Amino acid sequence: MIERPRRLRATPVLRSLTREHHLSARRLVLPLFVKEGLRSPAPIGSMPGVVQHTVPSLVEAAQEAVEAGVGGLMLFGVPAARDAVGSAGSDPDGVLNVGLRAVAEAVGDAAVVMGDLCLDEFTDHGHCGVLDAAGRVDNDATLSRYVELALAQADAGAALLGLSGMMDGQVGAVRGALDAAGRTDVVLLAYAAKYASAFYGPFRDAVDSALTGDRRTYQMDPGNRREALREVRLDVEQGADVVMVKPALPYLDVLSDVAAAVDVPVWAYQVSGEYAMVEAAAANGWIDRERAILESLVAVQRAGAGATLTYWAAEVATLLRRG
Ligand code: PBG
């Protein structure tokens, strides 16, 4: 026998030296939820270990994550009042913008502070865009709202905006408006290949979502692989600095295709349902929780993700630091 692959697996140090992908805290981004009017952090039933924050507890959690070494923080806001156009999203005193301002001030340049740019948390119907007279999501009317949200978030101190609404032309509209406002510095992360996924289920609890129905007229069909490359191409042409694939684990083929196709960074979002499945299995004693978490994250990186958004970011950063 000339080749014996097992030789390189004999000891932990040998395995480590020959490993192709190592996890790094700097490549993890922690999503955080901030809710208006809370007196203390509120647990999210379907996401054990994740909470809706008050502004002070948000700042504390952000600082802890940064101390653990995470590279970024992605903020989501849950307003006290919602309306048809999602006014709270563009209000400088709206909860997301207040949270962004507080976190940006607290962490400075120690981590990238990011805002989720979408309307679903702010609309009373729960859709990611505004509706037309017939109740359909109105793409082009939504773009002007996204522009208003973008300017408000940039003003609040977000260094990066995560465009997660899946409206056609959203990257170009927001880039143009930011540039016109002199904010050429703000980074745009396009949720380019975002699928209409059942794995977002627990997130609906996290943001007290008002949605009835689904998002299949704007998010991608799970049966499509080549279409992801089209979405990504359009976003890069419109000025996306980073593109993302979402969810992560069920879409590793898409992640791999996208990573091979573009020359901008490619990120992945390990979503709420991916988190909940591992937590639920682990709580039942059916799976080794830590190993499953680390394995899922290295799988996502192996498929092509440069950075990963994960609700385990702070915990994994701490684990990695301890070795
Ligand atoms: C839209 C948005 C969603 C998620 C992130 N941004 C919800 C959706 O598209 O239905 C889901 C994230 C997760 O499930 O963890 N603002």
Side-chain angles (χ1 to χ4, degrees):
M1 238 187 282
I2 295 174
E3 297 210 48
R4 286 182 180 271
R6 286 190 57 204
R7 247 193 308 264
L8 299 179
R9 299 178 196 140
T11 63
V13 276
L14 203 42
R15 289 196 293 274
S16 180
L17 268 183
T18 57
R19 187 167 298 134
E20 296 169 43
H21 292 280
H22 289 266
L23 292 173
S24 153
R26 299 310 283 170
R27 296 168 69 157
L28 300 177
V29 176
L30 178 66
L32 289 161
F33 302 100
V34 58
K35 180 171 170 172
E36 187 173 359
L38 274 186
R39 292 162 153 266
S40 57
I44 300 162
S46 52
M47 299 179 74
V50 181
V51 301
Q52 295 174 319
H53 282 288
T54 64
V55 174
S57 80
L58 171 76
V59 170
E60 208 174 301
Q63 279 169 327
E64 272 172 30
V66 171
E67 271 157 40
V70 306
L73 306 158
M74 174 62 82
L75 272 55
F76 293 88
V78 187
R82 296 174 155 135
D83 61 21
V85 297
S87 304
S90 46
D91 179 351
D93 297 322
V95 67
L96 176 56
N97 297 320
V98 168
L100 283 169
R101 207 169 281 119
V103 170
E105 195 167 304
V107 310
D109 282 336
V112 181
V113 177
M114 315 177 178
D116 178 64
L117 203 163
C118 199
L119 281 177
D120 63 315
E121 292 94 359
F122 303 107
T123 50
D124 51 13
H125 45 73
H127 274 294
C128 295
V130 296
L131 307 182
D132 66 15
R136 291 171 303 214
V137 173
D138 184 336
N139 192 92
D140 297 11
T142 300
L143 297 184
S144 9
R145 289 294 297 131
Y146 284 179
V147 160
E148 290 163 359
L149 265 70
L151 295 170
Q153 292 184 11
D155 204 46
L160 177 152
L161 308 181
L163 289 117
S164 66
M166 287 298 283
M167 294 300 128
D168 294 337
Q170 62 184 13
V171 175
V174 167
R175 182 77 273 164
L178 287 169
D179 288 356
R183 296 307 305 270
T184 54
D185 59 309
V186 179
V187 176
L188 295 187
L189 160 66
Y191 287 48
K194 177 172 179 179
Y195 287 84
S197 175
F199 294 101
Y200 307 148
F203 179 91
R204 304 274 155 90
D205 288 343
V207 298
D208 304 338
S209 175
L211 183 72
T212 53
D214 59 58
R215 308 196 192 287
R216 288 180 227 216
T217 69
Y218 41 106
Q219 298 179 346
M220 284 180 61
D221 189 298
N224 292 356
R225 179 169 177 172
R226 286 191 316 129
E227 191 193 11
L229 296 178
R230 184 185 194 201
E231 285 283 4
V232 163
R233 171 175 58 78
L234 291 170
D235 285 349
V236 171
E237 281 170 6
Q238 290 169 45
D241 300 291
V242 181
V243 294
M244 185 143 76
V245 174
K246 176 185 178 184
L249 215 51
Y251 294 87
L252 295 185
D253 56 333
V254 175
L255 194 49
S256 169
D257 287 355
V258 170
V262 297
D263 59 5
V264 296
V266 177
W267 293 0
Y269 196 141
Q270 183 175 59
V271 302
S272 57
E274 297 179 70
Y275 175 90
M277 285 193 300
V278 171
E279 291 292 345
N284 277 293
W286 296 339
I287 200 169
D288 180 330
R289 182 177 174 278
E290 263 178 31
R291 282 188 61 198
I293 292 171
L294 295 173
E295 184 177 331
S296 68
L297 283 168
V298 88
V300 170
Q301 185 178 319
R302 193 189 63 232
T308 305
L309 278 72
T310 173
Y311 299 98
W312 290 305
E315 180 183 344
V316 170
T318 305
L319 277 177
L320 292 174
R321 171 173 292 183
R322 282 204 225 105

